[in-house]
Amino acid sequence: MTKGQRIAAAAAVLIGTAAGLGAFTFVYAKGYSYLTTDPAACANCHIMDEHYSAWLKSSHRNVAGCNDCHTPHDLVGKYATKAKNGFWHSFYFTTGNFPYPLRITGGNKEIVEGACRSCHEGITSAMNHGGVIAPPGMEVQPAREEIACTHCHEYVGHWVR
Amino acid sequence: TNIFERRAEARNPFYRVVELTDTTVDPAVWGKNFPIHYDLYNNTVDMTRTRYGGSEAIPRQPTELDPRDVVAASRLVEDPRLREFWAGYAFAEDFREERGHAYMFIDQVFTERQQVVQQPGTCLHCHASVYTVYMKAGDGDLIAGFDRVNRMKYQDAAALAQHPVSCIDCHNPATMELRITRPGFMEGMRALKASQGVDGYDVNRDATRAEMRTYVCGQCHVEYYFKGPEKRLTYPWAKGLTVDSIMAYYDEVGFRDWTHAVSGAPTLKAQHPEFEMFSQGIHARSGVACADCHMPYLRVGAMKVSDHWVRSPMLNVNNACQTCHKQSEDELQARVSNIQDRTYEMRNIAIDATLDLTRAIGAAVRADSTNPRIAAARQYQRKAQFYTDFVEAENSMGFHADQESVRILGNAVNFARLGMATLYGARVPDRPALVPPPPQTVTPHPERGGGATRERR
Amino acid sequence: TNIFERRAEARNPFYRVVELTDTTVDPAVWGKNFPIHYDLYNNTVDMTRTRYGGSEAIPRQPTELDPRDVVAASRLVEDPRLREFWAGYAFAEDFREERGHAYMFIDQVFTERQQVVQQPGTCLHCHASVYTVYMKAGDGDLIAGFDRVNRMKYQDAAALAQHPVSCIDCHNPATMELRITRPGFMEGMRALKASQGVDGYDVNRDATRAEMRTYVCGQCHVEYYFKGPEKRLTYPWAKGLTVDSIMAYYDEVGFRDWTHAVSGAPTLKAQHPEFEMFSQGIHARSGVACADCHMPYLRVGAMKVSDHWVRSPMLNVNNACQTCHKQSEDELQARVSNIQDRTYEMRNIAIDATLDLTRAIGAAVRADSTNPRIAAARQYQRKAQFYTDFVEAENSMGFHADQESVRILGNAVNFARLGMATLYGARVPDRPALVPPPPQTVTPHPERGGGATRERR
Ligand SMILES: [Ca+2]
Ligand SMILES: [Ca+2]
């Protein structure tokens, strides 16, 4: 085999095993359920047990599942986040070195804040400076940063304590 | 209001009925655009006591000098020691519990502290809606107006104002964004930030929204003094916000509020340092703002609005605390009382300790005014009194910073102790203060988890 | 460990390899059934300093009397004032930072406090695995065995023990449930509960599991004294857990630990009152247990186990604190340091104040031992010293109860002040202490919400 063919074959084997292993993990860890919106899907991993049981007792049990808060509500954003988190989730799950107890990080926190606002647009409409629409010709300063819902409603999704 | 109204309410919460401009001082006009906020704002006329806070309505016989028929309870009646504590100063004549914002203007106009001494226009800075007054007096230059009104007699300045603090004092009329309108706070923050290495700080430009939800209250709930003949309202923050930094500042500029009538000590008066004390507490450290507890969200119809009925959170525990703390109302009230009882116990000890020293100095002066130890003893009284007064004047009775409040009172008792020792000629050994140990450099051990066995030594 | 192991682990965590009985004292045997717990338990040999806690390994030249080649740092070297503070008592000879549980037995056997005085068997109660020792000495009657060992010479009692506190001292061998094995704590809690109107309290029968996660540590981390000729270990809780109640108890029974060498005052020694101090803090009030911070859950594979490496939480911030607090490790460490610095500042002031009084009494005695004021001054030193020692001996440097710790030190400084005033003959006016105001009876106003307008008075 030429050098090129040899490299291609090696690459194929590599990709094949990776895909195979990935698929196996996918199936074994019930990864396929990850794509659904059923909160039980998250609880496949014991690390999520506490959040799942706390969520079951939360005010959002009947109205918002994990993905209603943890993925953007627009279709593209939803599946892009699923893909990103899906990768990192399985990566960390297998390597196992992540700080416990879990901390939500940057991007995922913004997604959650956005989710609150999309469902609670009505009740929070007055919160940003009274929802004032400046009269024509008057430039409205950007509402400075939004006040974070989690500043007060930190445990609304699941009170894991 | 049924579902349809709720839904409608949700979309454009507030109709613009009137045009609000930078000179619309009357809150009733703002109330046309924001009726809910205006109604809540008006509730500050209500007077209800809490254990250590709130205010009690005391009926009063109106007189020619003071037409008020209801006032807040007198702190001098509640604790008679305070008359001797402030002997020789206006606070020994009339000092009452504070009450709702609605009363701030009439309470200042008619307090007996106005009769015993000619107060300057500076007092108006925190007791009326003065944004428009300063702008007019300075022909559009806020700071020039501020300076001009400071120099006026109080009565003349008061004639220029009509309302207690109102919407225009905290809000930009066009965007309803929070803004700072008080020069005292602007200049105070600039000095504070300069001491932290940040020059040319402009609070309206640089503060975040979360900070503004504290700063709008810090415009007035602060320690202050009148600087120089121009009676310029100054917040003593050039060295920092702790009582120790403020004391160092007053010593450096050699300021005294008055000479104590009993001991002749160069004494300072502390006034309502809520902002300074709060800054040392765990809530401030956790990013909690004054408005989170004193103007919590309130659901009205389909909307959440900030509750503009500014009052003791103990009269509103459900909204003020329970969003962040899941304990019961009784438990939260018990926690606040617990903190306040400890502060109250130490506050009473510190007042006794300071008065013991004050009387001892008085006796020493009467015995022999040339006694060389008197000067040093008076300096200790100055410190003991300011540290004690700093907690006594602060209106949360320790809640805003529980450990700090009691640390300040502990230091006050020690200053009184050292003052007495100086007076008695007991050698006050100056010990090198033990320096706290260095910060923990070691980074915590990685989890050892199972497996890492060690033979036991 | 990969996915397969994780999944397997999750199903049945522990295999029963050996039979554990009520006489299996050796932790290594328990370790066969619970290898992970045993490994973690062994890590207490590790010595790492934190800012105010942990322990520093100090190399030492072994001698005939004391074969230890590593000890913890001496507190008397760190703060030389302590030698004078405890002048005339064993603690002035040798007092070190405490370190891991693994060392508790050898540290007690070889401390110089054993050389200066003949200690009784009572000391063993908190320094070795004594459950089996007491049961054997009492032929199955724990309390009888406890009483018998108390009366023995320490050296004879020590010969009966082999291990530091081990599994059997906190766990029922059959069910692994937590249980109390220390008579001192059983009788202390019975006295405390009786003072709260609950008679015949049996901690093993009546305590909840959550309480047990604190009580197992309260077996030893407490203030104590040896009562009567039978040297019975007694916890002074019959009037309550605050320093004020414990002081009142000691005054009532007229107990002193020793007569102070400098002043002749009837002085008390406070020892490691972690349980008492913690009970006054916000964490205890919120149902947080010692084990939540000092034995937090640790993820080992798919399982969660209580981390039996008992140590300073500052060496384990992620597990110890971040389950409940979202702040970063640096922020949480800064919060602890902040609290500890304030306590350390007041602790140093209180030691100075007490020593000033002690020296002044000593001088007065030398000048004229019949001086009638000496007795009253000595009583003030007794109070100032015990209140100061209560915080100095407590090992969290104020963290367990931040405001309470500083309140105690503030009172200590005041006792020292009053002692000096008594000595100078300054009239100490006994003022009626101001009683805190009545609890808030008014129930908070129902929301006024929109609509309730009031004409402004
Ligand atoms: Ca002042
Ligand atoms: Ca003791």
Side-chain angles (χ1 to χ4, degrees), chain C residues 216-265:
Chain C
V216 283
C217 315
Q219 299 188 91
C220 303
H221 286 270
V222 291
E223 161 57 13
Y224 69 86
Y225 78 109
F226 298 160
K227 188 173 180 183
E230 72 280 18
K231 299 285 184 189
R232 193 179 191 87
L233 180 64
T234 308
Y235 299 167
W237 300 342
K239 290 177 172 300
L241 290 178
T242 62
V243 70
D244 318 83
S245 322
I246 295 175
M247 188 78 232
Y249 170 86
Y250 279 134
D251 286 347
E252 193 178 79
V253 299
F255 178 77
R256 74 172 72 185
D257 277 295
W258 87 101
T259 303
H260 201 281
V262 174
S263 66

Coordinates of all heavy atoms in Angstrom, one line a residue, chain C residues 216-265:
Chain C
V216 N -21.8 13.3 67.7 CA -20.7 12.4 67.8 C -19.4 13.2 68.0 O -18.4 12.8 68.6 CB -20.5 11.5 66.5 CG1 -21.5 10.3 66.5 CG2 -20.6 12.3 65.2
C217 N -19.3 14.5 67.5 CA -18.1 15.3 67.7 C -18.2 16.0 69.0 O -17.2 16.2 69.7 CB -18.1 16.4 66.6 SG -18.4 15.7 64.9
G218 N -19.4 16.3 69.5 CA -19.6 16.9 70.7 C -19.2 16.1 71.9 O -19.2 16.5 73.1
Q219 N -19.0 14.8 71.6 CA -18.5 13.9 72.7 C -17.2 14.4 73.3 O -17.0 14.2 74.5 CB -18.3 12.4 72.1 CG -19.5 11.8 71.6 CD -19.3 10.3 71.2 OE1 -19.6 9.4 72.1 NE2 -18.8 10.1 70.0
C220 N -16.4 15.1 72.5 CA -15.0 15.5 73.0 C -14.7 17.0 72.8 O -14.0 17.6 73.6 CB -14.0 14.7 72.3 SG -14.2 12.9 72.5
H221 N -15.3 17.6 71.7 CA -14.9 19.0 71.4 C -15.8 19.9 72.3 O -16.6 20.6 71.7 CB -15.1 19.3 69.9 CG -14.0 18.6 69.1 ND1 -12.8 19.3 68.8 CD2 -13.9 17.4 68.6 CE1 -12.0 18.4 68.1 NE2 -12.6 17.3 67.9
V222 N -15.5 19.9 73.5 CA -16.4 20.6 74.5 C -15.5 21.2 75.6 O -14.4 20.7 75.9 CB -17.5 19.7 75.1 CG1 -18.5 19.3 74.1 CG2 -16.8 18.4 75.7
E223 N -16.1 22.2 76.4 CA -15.6 22.6 77.7 C -15.9 21.5 78.7 O -16.9 20.9 78.7 CB -16.2 24.0 78.1 CG -16.1 24.4 79.5 CD -14.7 24.5 80.1 OE1 -13.7 24.5 79.3 OE2 -14.6 24.5 81.3
Y224 N -15.0 21.3 79.7 CA -15.2 20.3 80.7 C -14.5 20.7 82.0 O -13.7 21.6 82.0 CB -14.7 18.9 80.2 CG -13.1 18.9 80.1 CD1 -12.3 18.5 81.2 CD2 -12.5 19.2 78.9 CE1 -10.9 18.5 81.1 CE2 -11.1 19.2 78.8 CZ -10.3 18.9 79.9 OH -9.0 18.9 79.8
Y225 N -14.7 19.9 83.0 CA -13.9 20.0 84.3 C -14.1 18.7 85.0 O -14.9 17.9 84.7 CB -14.3 21.2 85.1 CG -15.6 21.0 86.0 CD1 -15.5 20.9 87.4 CD2 -16.9 21.0 85.4 CE1 -16.7 20.8 88.2 CE2 -18.0 20.9 86.2 CZ -17.9 20.8 87.5 OH -19.1 20.6 88.3
F226 N -13.2 18.5 85.9 CA -13.2 17.2 86.7 C -13.8 17.5 88.0 O -13.3 18.4 88.8 CB -11.7 16.7 86.9 CG -11.0 16.3 85.7 CD1 -9.6 16.2 85.6 CD2 -11.7 16.1 84.5 CE1 -8.9 15.9 84.5 CE2 -11.1 15.8 83.3 CZ -9.7 15.7 83.3
K227 N -14.9 16.8 88.3 CA -15.8 17.2 89.5 C -15.4 16.3 90.7 O -15.4 15.0 90.5 CB -17.2 17.0 89.1 CG -18.2 17.5 90.2 CD -19.7 17.3 89.6 CE -20.7 17.8 90.6 NZ -22.1 17.6 90.0
G228 N -15.0 16.9 91.8 CA -14.9 16.2 93.0 C -13.7 15.3 93.1 O -13.0 15.2 92.1
P229 N -13.5 14.7 94.2 CA -12.3 13.8 94.4 C -12.3 12.6 93.4 O -11.3 12.1 93.0 CB -12.4 13.3 95.9 CG -13.9 13.6 96.3 CD -14.3 14.8 95.4
E230 N -13.6 12.2 93.0 CA -13.7 11.1 92.1 C -13.3 11.5 90.7 O -13.4 10.7 89.7 CB -15.1 10.5 92.1 CG -16.2 11.3 91.5 CD -16.8 12.4 92.3 OE1 -16.1 12.8 93.3 OE2 -17.9 12.9 92.0
K231 N -12.9 12.8 90.5 CA -12.4 13.3 89.2 C -13.4 12.9 88.1 O -13.0 12.4 87.0 CB -11.0 12.6 88.9 CG -10.0 13.0 89.9 CD -9.5 14.4 89.8 CE -8.3 14.8 90.7 NZ -8.0 16.2 90.7
R232 N -14.7 13.1 88.4 CA -15.7 12.7 87.3 C -15.7 13.7 86.2 O -16.0 15.0 86.5 CB -17.1 12.6 87.9 CG -18.1 11.9 87.0 CD -19.5 11.8 87.6 NE -20.3 10.9 86.9 CZ -20.4 9.5 87.0 NH1 -19.6 9.0 87.9 NH2 -21.2 8.8 86.3
L233 N -15.5 13.3 85.0 CA -15.6 14.2 83.8 C -17.0 14.8 83.7 O -18.0 14.1 83.7 CB -15.2 13.5 82.5 CG -15.3 14.4 81.3 CD1 -14.2 15.5 81.3 CD2 -15.1 13.5 80.0
T234 N -17.1 16.1 83.9 CA -18.4 16.8 83.8 C -18.4 17.9 82.8 O -17.5 18.7 82.8 CB -18.7 17.3 85.2 OG1 -18.5 16.3 86.2 CG2 -20.2 17.8 85.3
Y235 N -19.5 18.0 82.0 CA -19.7 19.1 81.1 C -20.6 20.1 81.7 O -21.7 19.7 82.1 CB -20.3 18.6 79.7 CG -19.3 17.6 79.0 CD1 -19.8 16.8 77.9 CD2 -18.0 17.4 79.4 CE1 -19.0 15.9 77.3 CE2 -17.2 16.5 78.7 CZ -17.7 15.7 77.7 OH -16.9 14.8 77.0
P236 N -20.2 21.4 81.9 CA -20.9 22.4 82.7 C -22.1 23.0 82.1 O -22.2 24.2 82.0 CB -19.8 23.5 82.9 CG -19.0 23.4 81.7 CD -19.0 21.9 81.2
W237 N -23.0 22.1 81.6 CA -24.2 22.6 80.8 C -25.5 22.7 81.5 O -26.5 22.9 80.9 CB -24.4 21.6 79.6 CG -23.2 21.6 78.7 CD1 -22.1 22.4 78.6 CD2 -22.9 20.5 77.7 NE1 -21.2 22.0 77.7 CE2 -21.6 20.8 77.1 CE3 -23.6 19.4 77.3 CZ2 -21.1 20.0 76.1 CZ3 -23.0 18.6 76.3 CH2 -21.8 18.9 75.7
A238 N -25.4 22.5 82.9 CA -26.7 22.4 83.6 C -27.5 23.7 83.5 O -28.7 23.7 83.8 CB -26.4 22.1 85.1
K239 N -26.9 24.8 83.1 CA -27.7 26.1 83.0 C -27.8 26.5 81.5 O -28.4 27.5 81.2 CB -27.0 27.2 83.8 CG -27.1 27.0 85.3 CD -26.4 28.1 86.0 CE -26.6 28.1 87.5 NZ -28.1 28.3 87.8
G240 N -27.1 25.8 80.6 CA -27.2 26.2 79.2 C -25.8 26.1 78.5 O -24.8 25.8 79.2
L241 N -25.7 26.4 77.2 CA -24.5 26.2 76.5 C -23.7 27.6 76.3 O -22.6 27.6 75.7 CB -24.8 25.6 75.1 CG -25.2 24.1 75.1 CD1 -25.6 23.7 73.7 CD2 -24.2 23.2 75.7
T242 N -24.3 28.7 76.6 CA -23.6 30.0 76.4 C -22.5 30.2 77.4 O -22.7 29.6 78.6 CB -24.6 31.2 76.4 OG1 -25.1 31.2 77.8 CG2 -25.7 31.1 75.4
V243 N -21.5 31.0 77.1 CA -20.5 31.2 78.1 C -21.1 31.8 79.4 O -20.6 31.5 80.5 CB -19.3 32.1 77.5 CG1 -19.8 33.5 77.3 CG2 -18.1 32.1 78.4
D244 N -22.1 32.6 79.2 CA -22.8 33.3 80.4 C -23.4 32.2 81.3 O -23.2 32.2 82.5 CB -23.8 34.2 79.9 CG -23.4 35.0 78.7 OD1 -23.5 34.5 77.5 OD2 -22.9 36.2 78.8
S245 N -24.1 31.2 80.7 CA -24.7 30.1 81.5 C -23.6 29.3 82.2 O -23.7 28.9 83.3 CB -25.5 29.2 80.6 OG -26.2 30.0 79.7
I246 N -22.5 29.0 81.4 CA -21.4 28.1 82.0 C -20.7 28.9 83.1 O -20.4 28.3 84.2 CB -20.4 27.7 80.9 CG1 -21.2 26.9 79.8 CG2 -19.2 27.0 81.4 CD1 -20.3 26.5 78.6
M247 N -20.5 30.2 83.0 CA -19.9 31.0 84.0 C -20.8 31.0 85.3 O -20.3 30.7 86.4 CB -19.8 32.5 83.5 CG -19.0 33.4 84.5 SD -17.3 33.2 84.3 CE -16.8 33.0 86.0
A248 N -22.1 31.1 85.1 CA -23.1 31.1 86.2 C -23.0 29.7 86.9 O -23.0 29.7 88.1 CB -24.5 31.4 85.7
Y249 N -22.9 28.7 86.1 CA -22.8 27.3 86.7 C -21.5 27.2 87.6 O -21.6 26.8 88.7 CB -22.7 26.3 85.6 CG -22.4 24.9 86.1 CD1 -23.4 24.0 86.5 CD2 -21.1 24.4 86.1 CE1 -23.1 22.7 87.0 CE2 -20.8 23.1 86.6 CZ -21.8 22.3 87.0 OH -21.4 21.0 87.5
Y250 N -20.4 27.6 87.0 CA -19.1 27.5 87.8 C -19.2 28.4 89.1 O -18.7 28.0 90.1 CB -17.9 27.9 86.9 CG -17.4 26.8 86.0 CD1 -17.1 27.1 84.6 CD2 -17.2 25.5 86.4 CE1 -16.7 26.1 83.8 CE2 -16.8 24.5 85.5 CZ -16.5 24.8 84.2 OH -16.1 23.9 83.3
D251 N -19.8 29.5 89.0 CA -19.9 30.4 90.2 C -20.8 29.7 91.2 O -20.5 29.7 92.4 CB -20.5 31.8 89.8 CG -19.4 32.6 89.1 OD1 -18.2 32.2 89.1 OD2 -19.8 33.6 88.4
E252 N -21.9 29.1 90.7 CA -22.8 28.4 91.7 C -22.1 27.3 92.4 O -22.3 27.1 93.6 CB -24.0 27.9 90.9 CG -25.2 27.5 91.7 CD -26.4 27.1 90.8 OE1 -26.4 25.9 90.4 OE2 -27.3 27.9 90.6
V253 N -21.4 26.5 91.7 CA -20.7 25.3 92.3 C -19.4 25.7 92.9 O -18.7 24.9 93.6 CB -20.5 24.1 91.3 CG1 -21.8 23.6 90.8 CG2 -19.6 24.5 90.2
G254 N -19.0 27.0 92.7 CA -17.8 27.6 93.4 C -16.6 26.8 92.9 O -15.7 26.5 93.7
F255 N -16.5 26.5 91.6 CA -15.3 25.8 91.1 C -14.2 26.7 90.6 O -14.5 27.8 90.0 CB -15.8 24.8 90.0 CG -14.6 24.0 89.4 CD1 -14.1 23.0 90.1 CD2 -14.0 24.4 88.1 CE1 -13.0 22.2 89.5 CE2 -13.0 23.7 87.6 CZ -12.5 22.6 88.3
R256 N -13.0 26.4 90.8 CA -11.9 27.1 90.2 C -10.9 26.0 89.6 O -10.8 24.9 90.3 CB -11.1 28.0 91.1 CG -10.3 27.2 92.2 CD -9.4 28.2 93.0 NE -10.2 29.0 93.9 CZ -9.7 29.9 94.7 NH1 -8.5 30.3 94.6 NH2 -10.5 30.6 95.6
D257 N -10.2 26.2 88.5 CA -9.2 25.3 88.0 C -7.9 25.5 88.8 O -7.3 24.5 89.2 CB -9.0 25.5 86.5 CG -10.0 24.7 85.7 OD1 -10.0 23.5 85.8 OD2 -10.9 25.4 85.0
W258 N -7.6 26.7 89.0 CA -6.4 27.0 89.8 C -6.4 28.4 90.4 O -7.3 29.2 90.0 CB -5.1 26.7 89.0 CG -4.6 27.9 88.1 CD1 -3.6 28.7 88.4 CD2 -5.1 28.4 86.8 NE1 -3.4 29.6 87.4 CE2 -4.3 29.4 86.4 CE3 -6.2 28.0 86.0 CZ2 -4.5 30.1 85.2 CZ3 -6.4 28.6 84.8 CH2 -5.6 29.7 84.4
T259 N -5.5 28.7 91.2 CA -5.3 30.1 91.8 C -4.2 30.8 91.0 O -3.1 30.3 90.9 CB -4.9 30.1 93.2 OG1 -6.0 29.3 93.9 CG2 -4.9 31.4 93.9
H260 N -4.5 31.9 90.3 CA -3.6 32.5 89.4 C -2.3 33.0 90.1 O -2.4 33.6 91.2 CB -4.3 33.7 88.7 CG -3.6 34.1 87.4 ND1 -2.4 34.8 87.4 CD2 -3.9 33.8 86.1 CE1 -2.0 35.0 86.1 NE2 -2.9 34.4 85.3
A261 N -1.2 32.6 89.6 CA 0.1 32.8 90.2 C 0.4 34.3 90.4 O 1.0 34.8 91.3 CB 1.2 32.2 89.4
V262 N -0.1 35.2 89.4 CA 0.3 36.6 89.4 C -0.7 37.4 90.4 O -0.3 38.3 91.1 CB 0.2 37.2 88.0 CG1 0.4 38.7 88.1 CG2 1.3 36.5 87.1
S263 N -2.0 37.0 90.3 CA -3.0 37.8 91.0 C -3.7 37.1 92.2 O -4.5 37.7 92.9 CB -4.0 38.2 90.0 OG -4.7 37.1 89.6
G264 N -3.5 35.8 92.3 CA -4.3 35.1 93.3 C -5.7 34.9 93.0 O -6.6 34.6 93.9
A265 N -6.1 35.2 91.8 CA -7.6 35.1 91.5 C -8.0 33.7 91.3 O -7.2 32.9 90.8 CB -7.8 35.9 90.2

